[in-house]
Amino acid sequence: MAGVEQTRLISVIGAGQAPPEVLAQAREVGRLLALAGWGVVTGGLGGVMEAVLEGAATAGGLTMGILPGGDPRVANPWCRVVIPSGMGQARNVLVVQTGSAAIAISGGAGTLSEIGHALKLGRPVAGLGSWNLPGVFQAPDPESAVKHVLSRLPDDPGRS
Amino acid sequence: MAGVEQTRLISVIGAGQAPPEVLAQAREVGRLLALAGWGVVTGGLGGVMEAVLEGAATAGGLTMGILPGGDPRVANPWCRVVIPSGMGQARNVLVVQTGSAAIAISGGAGTLSEIGHALKLGRPVAGLGSWNLPGVFQAPDPESAVKHVLSRLPDDPGRS
Amino acid sequence: MAGVEQTRLISVIGAGQAPPEVLAQAREVGRLLALAGWGVVTGGLGGVMEAVLEGAATAGGLTMGILPGGDPRVANPWCRVVIPSGMGQARNVLVVQTGSAAIAISGGAGTLSEIGHALKLGRPVAGLGSWNLPGVFQAPDPESAVKHVLSRLPDDPGRS
Amino acid sequence: MAGVEQTRLISVIGAGQAPPEVLAQAREVGRLLALAGWGVVTGGLGGVMEAVLEGAATAGGLTMGILPGGDPRVANPWCRVVIPSGMGQARNVLVVQTGSAAIAISGGAGTLSEIGHALKLGRPVAGLGSWNLPGVFQAPDPESAVKHVLSRLPDDPGRS
């Protein structure tokens, strides 16, 4: 069938502010996902959301931010595609719905809500220094986190 | 000012299926909230959501269900007011936004997402056999759960 | 089956600011709906949304406001139940989903979006000095508007 | 500042099924938008939504679909980026929020709701054989529609 290839996306969720070593991990997660041919969708703000998109964009991956507010100008500078949802916290649901799996890096209550939504949707979830919960693979490093979720994706011929 | 009294509501979140002793706890939570003058808002389906509304309605409290789907007829029979949101999991955000505090009773990933949203919003949260997380008061019984959240409400003269 | 009676609701949509004669019409629509045993759901703010709830509450009907923002204190004083959705314009969808039919009174672009959603959902829609569109019954007065939508409700034994 | 260029997007809304001449117009709208350097966001399904993305993708533009359901596989084959919102009709709000302006091509009640949301947000709106409403520029052909909305965009240095 004629058409274009649908971009495959992984949701990366995490702290809006984080120390340098966490941001470095996020950058590496983004880079590895892009090198493996995946785009990255986040909440579009700062901290982990910005670092992971920097890593992904620099390695050539598609980067997306789904914002809580309605103004696209508050998105971090590494978002190539911005959805200014205007839906407040409900945007967390959209971030998780849009990816085929989720990787959580550090993060507080907002990240917790996203992990809950991801598990409810049956998405593979890996965590890097994030919430230690049943169903969340505790990854020792970025490479393990990426490897884990990519190896657990449902076989999906319709979304090649 | 002329007007009516706005109904004060507490969000009760929890498992869609649960054993009899958990349902009994939920019923007691609903009864205690209603006796204290509060209405109860839930996700409108079965299990804990149904039992807590049964307890609340029987004690004269206002009962509300915010459904994931668009058909009001799937609401449990103890919902006096039904919001058939048609928004899927985003209804979890609405359930938590609508109450002044949250009580979690048992529950899985959906409840986890709701706890995350409640903590993010700064709502007091108590748990009864639910997720053991920082910020969630582990209540030994229904009375302690209700007491905990009601004692931690922000002083709000505008919503008497 | 044991349970409580689910409140039947009609969505009333319209201008956030309106001249006295339009507000009087809105009050009368609310009064007639309440006398016919229906509750009223609106967007919870001023103008038509406030006047229709005043009419409904004064006549003993249940009144509901679904707000775009997250602060329940901005609801008009005639809302007995408030959903502070925090979802911006997406709350328009919720207002329409929650009622069995819609009555539009005056109103601008927001009301237009709600009429579109109501028609898409197959709800009966009546207008009083509102948008003149195919599928919207142009009612000459409040009584005709209420009569029109109540006579066109689907026969629904499950939501008596 | 380091970063990537944010993709500029126009919302195209319209009928899910349409005769060949309408689909040809939609294809031309997509082609013209892409040639002018814009991406296109739609509701992701068939008819106008598919034709406009075919025109845009073929001319090298970024194509996006925001679906009402949660399954990305139902998106039309011309969507490069898919948001499977799972939010039902509330996705109409997202489609309009995401573009800087809207072009309506034919269409029924769903399109009407989107025009309402776009006008409420102050977006420029052009129509091609769609709803004839105040605030909607009635374009005689695809070129006029595209020209109209692009010439009325707010000057926005932050979203170049």
Side-chain angles (χ1 to χ4, degrees):
Chain A
M1 182 177 50
V4 292
E5 201 180 346
Q6 209 182 102
T7 303
R8 304 178 302 173
L9 293 156
I10 301 292
S11 310
V12 179
I13 55 187
Q17 290 190 318
E21 62 274 19
V22 171
L23 298 179
Q25 284 191 312
R27 245 176 256 116
E28 179 66 3
V29 165
R31 196 181 70 88
L32 293 170
L33 287 170
L35 293 179
W38 289 80
V40 178
V41 55
T42 72
L45 300 176
V48 163
M49 297 175 263
E50 181 167 350
V52 71
L53 294 190
E54 181 184 349
T58 306
L62 185 84
T63 53
M64 193 184 313
I66 305 182
L67 299 168
D71 183 351
R73 290 170 300 183
V74 310
N76 74 58
W78 297 100
C79 295
R80 194 135 96 75
V81 180
V82 173
I83 313 283
S85 77
M87 286 193 185
Q89 283 201 63
R91 79 80 139 83
N92 293 12
V93 179
L94 292 168
V95 169
V96 165
Q97 286 264 157
T98 299
S100 300
I103 297 176
I105 304 175
S106 184
T111 304
L112 182 64
S113 75
E114 292 169 314
I115 291 174
H117 288 297
L119 294 173
K120 179 76 179 178
L121 288 166
R123 301 281 197 276
V125 183
L128 266 167
S130 187
W131 296 85
N132 190 349
L133 295 165
V136 179
F137 172 72
Q138 299 300 309
D141 52 50
E143 197 175 351
S144 316
V146 170
K147 221 173 189 170
H148 176 84
V149 299
L150 295 187
S151 71
R152 264 153 192 84
L153 293 175
D155 208 39
D156 181 356
R159 199 184 193 185
S160 65
Chain B
M1 181 176 51
V4 292
E5 203 180 345
Q6 209 181 100
T7 303
R8 307 178 300 174
L9 293 157
I10 300 293
S11 309
V12 179
I13 55 187
Q17 290 190 317
E21 61 274 19
V22 171
L23 298 180
Q25 284 192 311
R27 245 176 257 117
E28 179 66 2
V29 165
R31 196 180 71 88
L32 292 171
L33 286 170
L35 293 180
W38 289 80
V40 178
V41 55
T42 70
L45 300 177
V48 162
M49 298 175 263
E50 180 167 350
V52 71
L53 294 190
E54 180 184 349
T58 306
L62 186 84
T63 53
M64 193 184 313
I66 305 182
L67 299 168
D71 183 352
R73 289 170 300 183
V74 310
N76 74 58
W78 296 99
C79 293
R80 194 135 98 74
V81 180
V82 173
I83 313 284
S85 77
M87 287 193 184
Q89 282 201 63
R91 81 77 140 84
N92 293 12
V93 180
L94 292 168
V95 169
V96 165
Q97 286 263 157
T98 299
S100 300
I103 298 175
I105 305 175
S106 184
T111 303
L112 181 64
S113 75
E114 292 169 312
I115 291 173
H117 288 297
L119 294 173
K120 180 76 178 176
L121 288 165
R123 301 282 198 275
V125 183
L128 265 167
S130 187
W131 295 85
N132 189 350
L133 296 164
V136 179
F137 171 72
Q138 301 298 310
D141 52 51
E143 197 175 352
S144 315
V146 170
K147 222 171 188 171
H148 176 85
V149 299
L150 295 187
S151 70
R152 263 152 194 84
L153 294 175
D155 207 39
D156 182 356
R159 199 184 194 186
S160 63
Chain C
M1 181 176 51
V4 291
E5 202 180 346
Q6 209 182 99
T7 303
R8 305 177 302 173
L9 293 157
I10 300 292
S11 310
V12 178
I13 57 188
Q17 290 191 318
E21 61 274 19
V22 170
L23 298 179
Q25 284 192 312
R27 245 176 256 116
E28 179 66 3
V29 164
R31 196 180 70 86
L32 293 171
L33 286 170
L35 294 180
W38 289 79
V40 178
V41 55
T42 72
L45 300 176
V48 163
M49 298 174 262
E50 181 167 347
V52 71
L53 295 190
E54 180 185 348
T58 307
L62 187 84
T63 54
M64 192 183 314
I66 305 182
L67 299 168
D71 183 350
R73 288 170 301 183
V74 309
N76 74 58
W78 297 100
C79 293
R80 195 136 95 74
V81 179
V82 174
I83 314 283
S85 77
M87 286 193 185
Q89 283 201 64
R91 79 81 141 80
N92 293 12
V93 180
L94 292 168
V95 169
V96 165
Q97 286 264 157
T98 299
S100 301
I103 297 175
I105 304 176
S106 185
T111 304
L112 182 63
S113 74
E114 292 168 312
I115 291 173
H117 288 297
L119 294 174
K120 179 77 178 177
L121 288 166
R123 301 281 198 276
V125 183
L128 265 168
S130 188
W131 296 85
N132 190 350
L133 296 165
V136 179
F137 171 72
Q138 299 300 310
D141 52 49
E143 197 174 352
S144 314
V146 169
K147 221 171 188 173
H148 176 84
V149 299
L150 295 187
S151 71
R152 264 151 192 85
L153 293 175
D155 208 39
D156 181 357
R159 201 186 192 187
S160 64
Chain D
M1 179 176 53
V4 292
E5 202 180 346
Q6 208 182 100
T7 303
R8 305 178 301 173
L9 293 157
I10 301 292
S11 310
V12 179
I13 55 187
Q17 289 190 318
E21 61 274 21
V22 171
L23 298 180
Q25 284 191 312
R27 245 177 255 115
E28 179 65 2
V29 164
R31 196 180 70 87
L32 293 170
L33 287 170
L35 293 180
W38 290 79
V40 178
V41 54
T42 71
L45 300 176
V48 163
M49 298 174 263
E50 180 167 351
V52 71
L53 295 190
E54 180 184 349
T58 307
L62 186 84
T63 53
M64 193 185 312
I66 306 182
L67 300 168
D71 184 352
R73 289 169 301 183
V74 309
N76 73 58
W78 297 100
C79 294
R80 195 135 97 72
V81 180
V82 173
I83 314 284
S85 76
M87 287 193 185
Q89 282 201 64
R91 80 81 139 81
N92 293 12
V93 180
L94 292 168
V95 169
V96 165
Q97 286 264 157
T98 299
S100 300
I103 297 175
I105 304 175
S106 185
T111 303
L112 181 64
S113 75
E114 292 169 312
I115 291 173
H117 289 296
L119 294 173
K120 179 77 178 178
L121 288 165
R123 301 281 198 275
V125 183
L128 265 168
S130 187
W131 295 85
N132 189 350
L133 296 165
V136 179
F137 171 72
Q138 300 298 310
D141 52 50
E143 198 174 351
S144 316
V146 170
K147 223 172 186 170
H148 176 84
V149 299
L150 295 187
S151 71
R152 263 152 193 84
L153 293 175
D155 208 40
D156 181 356
R159 200 185 192 185
S160 64

